[in-house]
Amino acid sequence: MAEHHTVTDGKHKASPNAGGSLHGNSRPNVASGGGGKGGLSGGLAQPAGWQSLLSFTILFLAWLAGFSSRLFAVIRFESIIHEFDPWFNYRSTHHLTTNGFYEFLNWFDERSWYPLGRIVGGTVYPGLMVTAGLIHYVLNLLHLTVHIRDVCVFLAPVFSGLTSISTFLLTRELWNQGAGLLAACFIAIVPGYISRSVAGSFDNEGIAIFALQFTYYLWVKSIKTGSVFWSIGCCLSYFYMVSAWGGYVFIINLIPLHVFVLLLMQRYSRRVYIAYSTFYIVGLVLSMQIPFVGFQPIRTSEHMAAAGVFALLQAYAFLQYLKNRLTKQEFQTLFFLGVALAAGVVFLTVIYLTYTGELWTVSYAKIHIPIIASVSEHQPTTWVSFFFDLHILVCTFPAGLWFCIKNVNDERVFVALYAISAVYFAGVMVRLMLTLTPVVCMLSAIAFSSVFEHYLGDDMKRENPPVEDSSDEDDKRNSGNLYDKAGKVRKHVSEQEKAEEGLGPNIKSIVTMLMLMLLMMFAVHCTWVTSNAYSSPSVVLASYNHDGTRNILDDFREAYYWLRQNTDEHARVMSWWDYGYQIAGMANRTTLVDNNTWNNSHIALVGKAMSSNESAAYEIMRSLDVDYVLIIFGGVIGYSGDDINKFLWMVRIAEGEHPKDIRESDYFTPQGEFRVDKAGSPVLLSCLMYKMSYYRFGEMQLDFRTPPGFDRTRNAEIGNKDIKFKHLEEAFTSEHWLVRIYKVKKLDNREPLDHKLRSIVPRPKYTSKKV
Amino acid sequence: MSNSVISVISRFLEEYKTKTSNKLKVVDAYLFYILLTGALQFLYCLLVGTFPFNSFLAGFISCVGAFILGVCLRIQVNPENKGDFLSISQERAFADFLLAHTVLHLVVINFIG
């Protein structure tokens, strides 16, 4: 916490000096150079040197703060990979380091999606694995033998520092150095970004946000200079982004939109032409090198905007060239001809694309495919999430946006478009809050920087142009003192200020204090949110007793390691798709379905097995060669993320593929409720998932107040306590009954007869009555 | 209408021959050659088919890329546009051109397969 205070105080002492000695937008260079010298009490001969030292120190501290802030989970538990997706990334990176790059790129994984297998090389974004693998290789080359797991765990915190630096560079291009430093500090600790980049969360977003910000920085630089060098740099950074995350589509749509808006605003210049044309064409061929992306950039509708703007820009540039050469009449004739041709071509292309169905398939998937709809991160964002993830930044960011629009130039158009599109997407899906966070940090930094510049640095600069030299010296000395003793008013300063229509020093100091307090509260909030909400590994659960001691629930790992050590190496485990990656990563066993969810029918089969009765499910399990079934049951400890709570999604997905066998309404009571007690639907009470969850649970009494078999999560006493299995047997139940593993029995050697045994009725013995 | 279009075009060509410097004409000739190569490749693709698609794309994008980079070089080297590119000297423009071509051709060679 002290660290954060140092950072905030450090940056505030720096930014007025930085704002003073490096001008904002419209101050003359000479005057502010002189002002800077005077402001530092004239004892330092090289303000530029001190300025860069301060910038370097602040950026280093921001990196350190960002890195440390993400280490809560590692300190509280251990260095472990969190959640679900990172386990797959870790397994792939492990495969990369043990087998080499080409083995990884061509890897066909037969231990997942049994019996289909998965072509990993063609269905994954390799940037993350290659980055981690490269760092591991370099470190081992230098004989620093770091295990690949530690590289993976700490990769995201290290890259968060790089994100801070690229945000600094980008904001410095947009506004000035002070705003850049503020933005770097904001993005280092803001919860919206931390949520996806804590230590242990080895996922694409950890490196993708760095690539995003760096690409945008290089793009702004190439628009400003019009140099092909910066455009090529932007292309290479874009290539890294394409290899890292599917969100690269955001870049390839935002940049063309920016160019298009510049054209509409009559801001076309040759620099824009050079920057975009080079970026588009070299970026296009670079992006197609990633196997997963393949030929999508010239086929799918998401990439068509970029191509359209490219064609439009070529036409526009050519017309500009002609316009400079020809008279108005001649130009008009050619222009009409050209426009007619272009309209015809566009019309035909749109007809062709609509005919082949490429153009309109955007949000169809989100509504109509149940798997996508069921992921919690795809739900719309609530207002609470905005404040929780961004705190005061979400309030100050419209102010920054307004400043950018008021003092518009080419790059500020870009950031305004970025902000508007990011706000729209963040409102649609919770998961996309992450793309909103960098632009909110940048624009809030611009707002704060303008406020500080106005309320802190105004004295020095206002005096410079109209007033003569002697009073200049006076003012600078006095304004130097103003910073140290806020509120203490110098006599001739206040006189001077009464002559001008300025703000009193009281107002200035009040406003400055308020801003500083807001920033301190922001730092406190960020640390609290990180510590409480975003630092849970999900693999290990912790609860706290009344006296504060910690109770660790390590059931997941216990169960996975049991699987690893007590089952055959080629055993196949069936579970719901949430746990597939973890089973593959920790237990190292073949799974049927996992988080990749690329085959809906296969998942529907598993769902059907879970929702049918035992005999029907046994047929499905035999056909898929299943050896073990794993389920999560939270009834003993009250864990609400267990499989019975997810059960309705299993039913819905199964119903989507097998509507004749599974009907969702069968699992509800006649009144329409989902109940697990005696009043529950009989189909529910005899399905496989119910039986597996509650096997032997009817004998268990958790405490004397509740009857035996009381499910803590659903707060109900279960209906069917007498559960017997015919084809499964219980293999393992973890300590708090969280994970339950059942073994699927092989077919009997003999088929038992279905009908009852013949009962032999003793025939009455006939005794002869003859004498 | 067509008469005026033809007269416009002939006047434009006349002015082009006289007004543009030799250096720019060399660049324009190079651009014309690239354009022909690209058109030829596209024609081949239309006639013979798109297999293998990645090779066609590599070749075609190489032509388009070389054309675009040539146009960028021409813009940056043209003395009329000096006001736009104060920090970019002619040598720097050419060096950027070479760098961009290196990157483009490395990727194209990888993509041709």
Side-chain angles (χ1 to χ4, degrees):
Chain A
M1 197 98 90
E3 200 162 45
H4 296 298
H5 283 242
T6 323
V7 170
T8 51
D9 287 349
K11 75 176 177 261
H12 292 306
K13 285 215 188 72
S15 60
N17 282 334
S21 38
L22 180 67
H23 62 90
N25 302 329
S26 49
R27 315 291 188 187
N29 217 341
V30 177
S32 51
K37 255 192 252 191
L40 291 170
S41 8
L44 304 162
Q46 286 174 309
W50 279 99
Q51 184 187 309
S52 51
L53 177 67
L54 271 172
S55 300
F56 178 76
T57 315
I58 289 171
L59 286 176
F60 178 71
L61 285 176
W63 191 331
L64 205 61
F67 185 86
S68 326
S69 185
R70 289 162 167 80
L71 293 182
F72 279 103
V74 173
I75 296 173
R76 286 177 185 162
F77 303 98
E78 61 183 275
S79 155
I80 186 180
I81 307 278
H82 296 184
E83 300 216 331
F84 305 107
D85 279 357
W87 278 102
F88 171 70
N89 297 330
Y90 172 62
R91 188 163 158 252
S92 312
T93 316
H94 189 73
H95 194 264
L96 169 65
T97 48
T98 44
N99 298 42
F101 179 64
Y102 284 107
E103 282 299 312
F104 167 70
L105 215 55
N106 298 319
W107 186 23
F108 179 79
D109 185 19
E110 67 267 359
R111 286 176 77 85
S112 61
W113 293 91
Y114 186 86
L116 305 163
R118 176 185 174 181
I119 307 171
V120 176
T123 58
V124 86
Y125 284 105
L128 180 67
M129 296 83 176
V130 170
T131 310
L134 192 66
I135 294 178
H136 175 255
Y137 174 72
V138 166
L139 285 177
N140 278 326
L141 207 62
L142 299 171
H143 291 289
L144 298 163
T145 45
V146 186
H147 191 267
I148 184 68
R149 192 200 67 229
D150 292 319
V151 173
C152 293
V153 166
F154 290 104
L155 190 76
V158 168
F159 269 75
S160 76
L162 287 172
T163 310
S164 293
I165 293 180
S166 30
T167 310
F168 160 72
L169 291 170
L170 178 54
T171 316
R172 189 178 62 171
E173 289 304 317
L174 289 170
W175 200 258
N176 65 13
Q177 189 145 347
L181 292 170
L182 271 174
C185 297
F186 284 155
I187 204 165
I189 56 172
V190 72
Y193 178 39
I194 287 192
S195 64
R196 306 290 305 188
S197 66
V198 283
S201 175
F202 180 56
D203 211 352
N204 301 69
E205 287 91 348
I207 56 169
I209 300 296
F210 159 65
L212 184 85
Q213 292 290 86
F214 199 59
T215 310
Y216 284 149
Y217 162 65
L218 290 172
W219 168 248
V220 167
K221 213 48 192 174
S222 55
I223 282 270
K224 273 173 111 168
T225 58
S227 151
V228 173
F229 170 71
W230 289 107
S231 294
I232 292 292
C234 188
C235 294
L236 291 172
S237 177
Y238 173 65
F239 172 59
Y240 183 55
M241 177 74 187
V242 172
S243 75
W245 195 32
Y248 75 90
V249 182
F250 186 53
I251 299 188
I252 200 62
N253 280 310
L254 187 63
I255 290 183
L257 182 66
H258 177 222
V259 171
F260 186 62
V261 170
L262 283 180
L263 284 183
L264 288 179
M265 284 171 73
Q266 314 269 347
R267 279 181 166 274
Y268 169 80
S269 69
R270 291 186 187 85
R271 291 172 286 120
V272 172
Y273 174 79
I274 291 179
Y276 184 67
S277 306
T278 316
F279 169 77
Y280 177 71
I281 205 68
V282 181
L284 179 72
V285 70
L286 275 170
S287 66
M288 290 201 273
Q289 302 310 302
I290 307 291
F292 192 23
V293 173
F295 297 128
Q296 280 179 33
I298 49 172
R299 282 199 180 143
T300 59
S301 59
E302 298 137 1
H303 299 88
M304 284 302 128
V309 171
F310 178 68
L312 181 68
L313 194 65
Q314 302 306 311
Y316 195 94
F318 186 58
L319 286 175
Q320 286 287 80
Y321 173 71
L322 285 182
K323 201 162 163 191
N324 289 339
R325 303 282 168 150
L326 306 172
T327 66
K328 208 163 158 135
Q329 303 318 74
E330 298 165 333
F331 182 66
Q332 268 181 346
T333 45
L334 270 184
F335 182 66
F336 282 128
L337 186 65
V339 164
L341 271 175
V345 168
V346 165
F347 184 64
L348 286 171
T349 321
V350 169
I351 296 271
Y352 171 69
L353 285 177
T354 317
Y355 179 68
T356 56
E358 296 283 355
L359 211 52
W360 308 115
T361 58
V362 182
S363 59
Y364 175 80
K366 186 163 163 268
I367 313 169
H368 295 275
I369 300 182
I371 283 190
I372 298 183
S374 74
V375 180
S376 67
E377 293 172 319
H378 293 186
Q379 307 305 320
T381 325
T382 57
W383 289 107
V384 178
S385 304
F386 279 102
F387 187 75
F388 193 68
D389 277 347
L390 299 171
H391 202 238
I392 49 160
L393 298 185
V394 77
C395 312
T396 50
F397 123 87
L401 186 58
W402 164 243
F403 282 128
C404 276
I405 293 178
K406 200 165 108 173
N407 307 308
V408 75
N409 62 19
D410 290 348
E411 345 26 295
R412 289 184 196 146
V413 170
F414 174 71
V415 82
L417 287 170
Y418 182 11
I420 295 170
S421 51
V423 167
Y424 169 69
F425 286 122
V428 172
M429 264 202 207
V430 171
R431 191 172 178 183
L432 297 176
M433 273 290 291
L434 181 65
T435 50
L436 177 65
T437 309
V439 71
V440 161
C441 290
M442 290 197 294
L443 289 175
S444 304
I446 290 176
F448 272 105
S449 171
S450 307
V451 168
F452 279 125
E453 210 178 315
H454 195 245
Y455 285 91
L456 283 177
D458 217 14
D459 265 4
M460 299 191 305
K461 297 198 208 88
R462 253 192 309 125
E463 318 302 344
N464 288 338
V467 191
E468 343 145 88
D469 271 341
S470 52
S471 43
D472 265 356
E473 291 300 347
D474 251 355
D475 287 330
K476 279 167 218 147
R477 244 187 288 117
N478 292 328
S479 36
N481 286 337
L482 250 182
Y483 296 141
D484 293 330
K485 297 166 194 167
K488 175 168 180 189
V489 180
R490 286 260 163 185
K491 230 166 137 201
H492 38 276
V493 170
S494 59
E495 275 176 27
Q496 204 110 30
E497 277 171 356
K498 271 188 204 133
E500 268 122 354
E501 27 160 312
L503 309 150
N506 279 331
I507 295 186
K508 280 196 222 253
S509 47
I510 289 174
V511 171
T512 316
M513 278 298 126
L514 272 176
M515 291 285 137
L516 282 176
M517 265 169 50
L518 277 180
L519 287 170
M520 281 183 211
M521 288 201 295
F522 172 70
V524 169
H525 170 87
C526 289
T527 319
W528 179 85
V529 165
T530 311
S531 163
N532 286 352
Y534 291 137
S535 295
S536 121
S538 299
V539 186
V540 180
L541 304 171
S543 65
Y544 293 86
N545 298 329
H546 293 297
D547 52 357
T549 54
R550 193 170 61 162
N551 205 13
I552 292 196
L553 299 147
D554 213 1
D555 286 45
F556 291 104
R557 291 197 295 171
E558 186 191 342
Y560 295 138
Y561 273 84
W562 182 90
L563 263 184
R564 193 189 187 106
Q565 288 164 348
N566 293 292
T567 58
D568 180 64
E569 206 195 326
H570 298 286
R572 290 158 289 272
V573 181
M574 176 171 100
S575 69
W576 192 233
W577 60 261
D578 291 13
Y579 318 108
Y581 281 156
Q582 281 184 345
I583 294 175
M586 281 191 262
N588 196 21
R589 291 288 171 267
T590 310
T591 51
L592 252 60
V593 290
D594 61 24
N595 308 57
N596 191 30
T597 63
W598 67 269
N599 191 333
N600 198 29
S601 317
H602 212 56
I603 297 180
L605 256 185
V606 172
K608 187 177 171 203
M610 297 290 193
S611 9
S612 324
N613 58 29
E614 196 187 343
S615 321
Y618 185 63
E619 272 177 45
I620 299 177
M621 290 195 284
R622 286 293 310 162
S623 74
L624 291 171
D625 289 338
V626 176
D627 293 315
Y628 292 91
V629 185
L630 185 146
I631 60 156
I632 305 292
F633 171 58
V636 172
I637 55 169
Y639 178 64
S640 61
D642 67 351
D643 281 356
I644 293 280
N645 274 355
K646 290 181 194 160
F647 184 61
L648 279 175
W649 284 111
M650 298 187 200
V651 172
R652 281 177 198 138
I653 293 172
E655 189 181 354
E657 293 282 325
H658 307 274
K660 295 202 183 70
D661 304 318
I662 311 279
R663 276 167 296 274
E664 192 183 341
S665 46
D666 286 347
Y667 295 86
F668 288 100
T669 61
Q671 294 83 22
E673 291 173 303
F674 181 76
R675 296 175 69 154
V676 296
D677 53 13
K678 279 206 180 45
S681 132
V683 177
L684 175 66
L685 261 55
S686 61
C687 77
L688 186 68
M689 175 57 73
Y690 187 93
K691 285 170 86 166
M692 285 197 292
S693 295
Y694 294 121
Y695 181 64
R696 291 192 305 116
F697 187 60
E699 303 149 9
M700 191 179 187
Q701 186 161 25
L702 294 167
D703 63 57
F704 59 92
R705 289 171 297 185
T706 54
F710 186 78
D711 183 349
R712 273 202 183 137
T713 317
R714 261 73 47 187
N715 282 324
E717 186 183 345
I718 60 169
N720 187 3
K721 291 190 190 173
D722 185 25
I723 297 175
K724 288 208 185 351
F725 280 112
K726 193 157 162 256
H727 300 290
L728 298 176
E729 62 179 1
E730 187 183 4
F732 179 79
T733 298
S734 63
E735 189 185 337
H736 301 98
W737 290 51
L738 255 185
V739 186
R740 310 196 70 178
I741 304 179
Y742 291 83
K743 187 172 162 61
V744 177
K745 288 201 271 205
K746 296 269 190 289
L747 288 167
D748 290 336
N749 281 331
R750 275 184 310 166
E751 278 284 323
L753 295 169
D754 268 345
H755 54 78
K756 286 200 317 246
L757 288 172
R758 186 171 63 128
S759 58
I760 300 174
V761 176
R763 273 201 310 175
K765 265 196 140 156
Y766 178 71
T767 18
S768 160
K769 289 222 166 93
K770 263 161 75 176
V771 172
Chain B
M1 173 72 184
S2 58
N3 210 357
S4 61
V5 170
I6 290 176
S7 68
V8 165
I9 292 179
S10 56
R11 203 198 76 102
F12 168 68
L13 285 176
E14 195 53 50
E15 196 196 330
Y16 175 79
K17 271 187 220 154
T18 50
K19 284 276 178 60
T20 45
S21 69
N22 276 335
K23 199 160 59 174
L24 291 182
K25 278 196 189 146
V26 167
V27 177
D28 285 339
Y30 164 73
L31 291 177
F32 186 62
Y33 159 70
I34 298 278
L35 195 68
L36 281 181
T37 318
L40 214 67
Q41 284 195 2
F42 193 66
L43 195 65
Y44 173 85
C45 169
L46 284 177
L47 288 175
V48 182
T50 59
F51 183 79
F53 195 47
N54 59 323
S55 309
F56 160 67
L57 270 183
F60 190 65
I61 290 182
S62 163
C63 284
V64 177
F67 184 80
I68 296 287
L69 289 171
V71 169
C72 293
L73 178 68
R74 188 185 193 278
I75 292 177
Q76 284 178 340
V77 159
N78 196 348
E80 285 170 20
N81 300 337
K82 205 139 168 238
D84 277 341
F85 302 107
L86 286 170
S87 63
I88 302 179
S89 64
Q90 312 247 337
E91 291 78 18
R92 161 93 191 256
F94 190 63
D96 287 346
F97 175 77
L98 289 179
L99 171 72
H101 264 284
T102 314
V103 172
L104 176 69
H105 287 295
L106 278 173
V107 184
V108 162
I109 300 258
N110 183 42
F111 199 35
I112 264 189

